[in-house]
Amino acid sequence: MYRTLIHTARLADAAAASIQAAIPGRLEPRGGHWLLRHERPAERETVEVLRRSLRLDINPLPPGFVGAAVGLLVTDMDSTLIAIECIDELADRAGQRQAVMAITEAAMNGKLDFVQALQRRVALLRGLPVSVLQAVYAEKVVLNPGAESLVAACRRHGVRIGLVSGGFDFFVDRLKDRLGLDFTLANRLESRGGFLTGRIEGPICGGAEKAGFLLALCGQLGLVPQNSIGLGDGANDAKLLGVAGLGVGYRPKPALRAVADAVIEYADLAAIADFLEDAR
């Protein structure tokens, strides 16, 4: 028996009929979402057509994935947990916003190597006062809708949360304290005399490091990776999603959408909690 989630509390009769015509099965209300049980696997193209036509998040679950067994969620930060790209906002203060945004966009879409793209962007921040980081955090960092609800749901289900970023630990650490998250990994901006040097201090956290972070946490917590969820939005999150039991793209760029197990495009982050329910 295959299982597909429809991430909406209310499902119009016409929408339900369209879904069941494309994927024959039995629909069950599950409180804030719906579960469709079906005998045959749902074709990816069929699901994409339904998503676009109904403007609903519809996600077949991978065989063997058990939401109730999930013990770890590892999420990206920029444009996933929060609504902005922190480096773009820092670049704005350095008068380099357009140059940095162009590099960010290319990297997020997989058109540039992430490490080289990060080094090029950070170099453009040279000379920026360190005090600007706090100003950007206070004025620009906004949680994406549903973030706090997702964190609360993870707590109810006993799921630990890791926050990992190809961005900067200054922001990651503050979000950890603000939301009460469990684990973090990010890059550290080098500074001298109160000003950024335009370099990263220590090893760079890129796509492979994000995946390694999830695997290391699974080992630390005594979990198999099958019982984890990876969440992100850009090409740099592909390896993270690939090693997780369920890889979820949140409003993902095309490069990530192509490899994600599930996509949340229309709902907010609270919909990720639907995957934690027992859909057996």
Side-chain angles (χ1 to χ4, degrees), residues 4 18-25 36 38 40-42 46-47 50 58 60:
T4 293
S18 294
I19 292 169
Q20 289 179 298
I23 311 172
L36 175 66
H38 45 106
R40 296 182 180 180
T46 299
V47 173
L50 284 171
I58 301 171

Side-chain angles (χ1 to χ4, degrees):
M1 182 69 71
Y2 295 90
R3 304 154 300 150
T4 293
L5 299 186
I6 300 96
H7 302 271
T8 182
R10 296 181 179 180
L11 189 61
D13 291 343
S18 294
I19 292 169
Q20 289 179 298
I23 311 172
R26 186 174 74 254
L27 271 171
E28 303 172 6
R30 288 300 185 97
H33 64 282
W34 293 73
L35 171 66
L36 175 66
R37 299 182 187 275
H38 45 106
E39 296 290 340
R40 296 182 180 180
E43 297 292 336
R44 194 177 186 97
E45 289 184 4
T46 299
V47 173
E48 284 294 337
V49 169
L50 284 171
R51 283 174 178 154
R52 290 194 298 269
S53 63
L54 300 176
R55 298 187 64 79
L56 288 174
D57 293 310
I58 301 171
N59 288 303
L61 296 175
F65 176 78
V66 179
V70 171
L72 174 67
L73 168 72
V74 174
T75 178
D76 174 52
M77 178 179 69
D78 295 292
S79 297
T80 303
L81 189 68
I82 63 175
I84 65 166
E85 293 286 328
C86 291
I87 194 167
D88 292 349
E89 299 301 330
L90 292 173
D92 188 52
R93 306 300 177 100
Q96 298 285 353
R97 186 179 185 89
Q98 294 304 315
V100 167
M101 283 183 67
I103 300 171
T104 298
E105 184 69 14
M108 292 287 283
N109 283 300
K111 296 178 181 179
L112 285 178
D113 172 77
F114 174 80
V115 172
Q116 292 179 343
L118 179 64
Q119 290 171 330
R120 285 172 56 187
R121 288 177 292 172
V122 170
L124 293 171
L125 304 180
R126 182 179 179 181
L128 196 67
V130 172
S131 59
V132 168
L133 275 69
Q134 179 58 41
V136 167
Y137 178 79
E139 298 169 17
K140 297 294 184 178
V141 172
V142 177
L143 296 172
N144 266 324
E148 290 174 305
S149 295
L150 173 58
V151 170
C154 286
R155 294 285 170 254
R156 291 195 302 272
H157 289 275
V159 176
R160 308 290 290 278
I161 304 173
L163 179 59
V164 65
S165 179
F168 310 120
D169 62 353
F170 182 92
F171 303 101
V172 163
D173 291 346
R174 281 154 181 78
L175 287 167
K176 179 185 179 183
D177 293 342
R178 176 177 173 180
L179 296 171
L181 308 181
D182 300 294
F183 312 101
T184 59
L185 179 68
N187 296 302
R188 180 179 294 273
L189 288 167
E190 184 184 80
S191 63
R192 293 285 185 275
F195 296 88
L196 300 183
T197 65
R199 294 188 295 270
I200 297 292
E201 184 179 313
I204 288 179
C205 178
E209 289 73 22
K210 289 183 176 186
F213 180 62
L214 182 145
L215 293 174
L217 290 178
C218 283
Q220 180 179 329
L221 297 172
L223 296 171
V224 294
Q226 177 69 15
N227 294 335
S228 68
I229 294 175
L231 175 62
D233 71 294
N236 188 44
D237 300 312
K239 291 180 180 179
L240 168 66
L241 271 60
V243 299
L246 183 73
V248 183
Y250 178 70
R251 299 177 184 173
K253 304 295 187 296
L256 188 67
R257 189 184 190 98
V259 300
D261 296 316
V263 171
I264 299 297
E265 187 78 44
Y266 303 106
D268 63 27
L269 285 173
I272 308 300
D274 298 344
F275 297 114
L276 304 177
E277 302 289 344
D278 188 351
R280 287 177 295 179

